[in-house]
Amino acid sequence: MNLALDEARKAAAKGEVPVGAVVISKEGSVLGAGHNEPLAGHDPTAHAEIRALRRAALSRRNYRLIDCTIYVTMEPCIMCVGALICARIKRLVFGARDHRFGAVESMHRLLYDRRLNHEVEVIQGVLETECTNVLTSFFRDKRTPRT
């Protein structure tokens, strides 16, 4: 999760919402990492999870990441949950909940829908305080008037 936090800080430094993600193989090697970049890339799909999944799939030369874990600093949205399912990710580990758009626990519980053809193990709250602090600091700084 610390690597995902590093990615989130990269996003914040660029003025992007600070979310980071890292895909790890079952052997423990980093296959792909990413952070939010929808503003810079003019791309609504440039979420941290999507960017990390794309890099991991390229690294594996296979879109199926069946034995991999993705670490994300914030609970994934609907789009990203769909990508996790399509990638056949084994495990999702996330830090902070997203009460506005979270599609795992907060707004929706998509990964618990038994009609889906793939199950993703979910572990939540890992380094939750640190993940939340990166987000709240970013938005607090955005709202603070500059002199």
Side-chain angles (χ1 to χ4, degrees):
M1 186 61 80
N2 284 312
L3 294 175
L5 278 163
D6 290 343
E7 289 293 324
R9 291 181 189 103
K10 289 177 188 176
K14 296 176 180 179
E16 302 275 3
V17 174
V19 178
V22 179
V23 177
I24 306 291
S25 72
K26 70 178 177 183
E27 296 81 24
S29 61
V30 175
L31 297 176
H35 54 272
N36 275 2
E37 288 194 285
L39 298 174
H42 310 290
D43 180 358
T45 69
H47 289 196
E49 300 93 325
I50 302 297
R51 295 176 55 76
L53 289 170
R54 286 178 177 159
R55 290 179 175 133
L58 286 172
S59 169
R60 277 271 172 98
R61 299 173 93 68
N62 190 338
Y63 75 96
R64 290 190 175 191
L65 303 169
I66 58 172
D67 57 350
C68 297
T69 298
I70 188 166
Y71 292 83
V72 187
T73 57
M74 188 167 73
E75 178 182 2
C77 69
I78 292 170
M79 174 183 68
C80 292
V81 166
L84 298 179
I85 293 166
C86 290
R88 309 297 195 270
I89 283 287
K90 179 178 184 173
R91 183 179 304 108
L92 162 66
V93 180
F94 72 89
R97 282 193 175 193
D98 182 353
H99 298 287
R100 291 183 64 212
F101 300 106
V104 179
E105 293 288 342
S106 300
M107 285 295 292
H108 304 284
R109 294 176 51 85
L110 296 178
L111 291 177
Y112 304 105
D113 188 329
R114 296 297 158 224
R115 294 171 294 178
L116 297 172
N117 66 339
H118 179 68
E119 292 182 29
V120 177
E121 177 187 344
V122 176
I123 300 170
Q124 61 179 303
V126 175
L127 297 182
E128 182 176 10
T129 300
E130 293 87 340
C131 294
T132 300
N133 287 343
V134 169
L135 288 158
T136 55
S137 295
F138 174 79
F139 287 111
R140 184 178 51 243
D141 292 348
K142 284 274 190 203
R143 291 183 185 105
T144 303
R146 296 184 183 169
T147 56

